[in-house]
Amino acid sequence: ADVVALQEVFNLETLDFFNDRFLIPAGAKGYRFRYCIKGNDGRGLNVAALSRFAVRRVQSHAEKSGAELGLTELSTDLRDLPIFRRDCLEVDLGTVVLFICHFKAPYPDVEKALRVRRAEAQAVRRLVEDRFPNPESQRWIVLGDFNEPAPHEYQSDSALEIFGGGFAIDLLDRLPKGRDWTYELPRSHLHTRPDRILASPALAREFPEVQPQIIRSGMHPERLAVDGGSGGGHPRASDHAVVYAEFPGL
């Protein structure tokens, strides 16, 4: 991939270490341009980007409040304080602008978490609208981990409804049902799709044949018999699948 959007990156030094000590020794070309800006997650889980070519601009929106984005109808905590639980990292690649997200997890308070994710989705849409006077005719992608739960896992409502009505096109909808999952719940093994690639209508029309690919290898740790069969686990790459899409000529 020429550009990679990442979640749960501790800092830029971690990203540099990953590039220099893992990717390149494994035979990958590596990424000359690496971006990770501190967001609002108290554990240091930030969104980040890797690119093989220079970008025009990278902008963090971690400090934005709902009020700053004109979302004055929100509750006080979302209106007057930073609205993103991590960040929305805007990356201008020249030919397309990315808005990299990692929304609030759907717990421990299910209803509050849904309210927060809805507000985050509203904020992302407002960022797109502020950037592009006519969003439907421009090239942009909103992508990342939106922490959408499986239907009936926590609730059936979606926080991503604000992107519906033709505002954005979920490219994973182009995959067959049952093959579009990116996450497996540990206990129930229920499959869900928290990860999305939401393309602008213009970009979706320009690339009607593009279908995202999902790589699930590395999601599950292998079990080894250790000390008489008690078992032990290999570290896994992630509990989420890798989702990627190719846009020829973009």
Side-chain angles (χ1 to χ4, degrees):
D2 293 316
V3 180
V4 182
L6 299 163
Q7 294 80 39
E8 299 194 7
V9 177
F10 190 69
N11 54 27
L12 185 57
E13 290 75 17
T14 303
L15 205 58
D16 292 341
F17 188 89
F18 175 66
N19 181 79
D20 299 339
R21 302 291 292 274
F22 283 86
L23 287 180
I24 293 176
K29 289 172 59 178
Y31 293 87
R32 180 180 176 187
F33 302 97
R34 304 181 286 274
Y35 307 96
C36 181
I37 300 173
K38 180 177 173 57
N40 298 320
D41 189 286
R43 299 169 295 170
L45 304 181
N46 303 301
V47 294
L50 299 169
S51 178
R52 291 204 167 112
F53 49 84
V55 305
R56 286 186 177 178
R57 186 180 72 147
V58 176
Q59 176 68 51
S60 167
H61 295 289
E63 296 183 0
K64 289 280 197 317
S65 67
E68 289 178 271
L69 294 171
L71 303 174
T72 56
E73 76 285 359
L74 297 175
S75 59
T76 303
D77 57 329
L78 296 169
R79 184 188 66 216
D80 299 336
L81 298 174
I83 195 167
F84 293 112
R85 286 303 176 261
R86 282 93 179 184
D87 194 1
C88 175
L89 191 66
E90 181 179 340
V91 181
D92 186 344
L93 300 171
T95 57
V96 64
V97 177
L98 306 182
F99 296 86
I100 305 173
C101 304
H102 187 187
F103 283 6
K104 171 76 177 73
Y107 52 77
D109 185 324
V110 174
E111 292 303 320
K112 181 178 180 180
L114 175 60
R115 180 170 59 86
V116 171
R117 290 199 311 281
R118 279 179 171 161
E120 290 182 296
Q122 287 180 269
V124 174
R125 174 163 175 162
R126 187 59 56 87
L127 289 173
V128 173
E129 292 170 333
D130 287 348
R131 177 66 189 270
F132 300 110
N134 298 297
E136 68 281 355
S137 64
Q138 304 297 315
R139 289 171 165 176
W140 49 266
I141 300 174
V142 176
L143 73 166
D145 176 6
F146 297 92
N147 266 314
E148 280 284 283
H152 312 302
E153 178 197 352
Y154 290 101
Q155 80 281 316
S156 59
D157 296 329
S158 171
L160 304 183
E161 293 173 352
I162 192 74
F163 297 117
F167 181 79
I169 308 302
D170 188 344
L171 296 186
L172 273 77
D173 284 341
R174 294 177 174 179
L175 298 177
K177 294 296 182 184
R179 293 175 51 193
D180 58 348
W181 63 276
T182 66
Y183 181 77
E184 181 179 278
L185 293 170
R187 294 183 179 178
S188 66
H189 302 293
L190 183 67
H191 292 160
T192 184
R193 196 173 81 182
D195 309 286
R196 309 293 177 99
I197 299 177
L198 307 176
S200 70
L203 192 64
R205 287 193 301 268
E206 188 176 351
F207 295 92
E209 303 302 320
V210 168
Q211 287 191 355
Q213 303 298 310
I214 300 175
I215 301 175
R216 301 186 183 93
S217 58
M219 287 179 65
H220 304 291
E222 297 180 19
R223 302 297 297 178
L224 289 178
V226 179
D227 295 334
S230 61
H234 283 305
R236 59 185 171 186
S238 174
D239 55 350
H240 290 244
V242 172
V243 183
Y244 75 94
E246 295 186 29
F247 298 87
L250 183 62

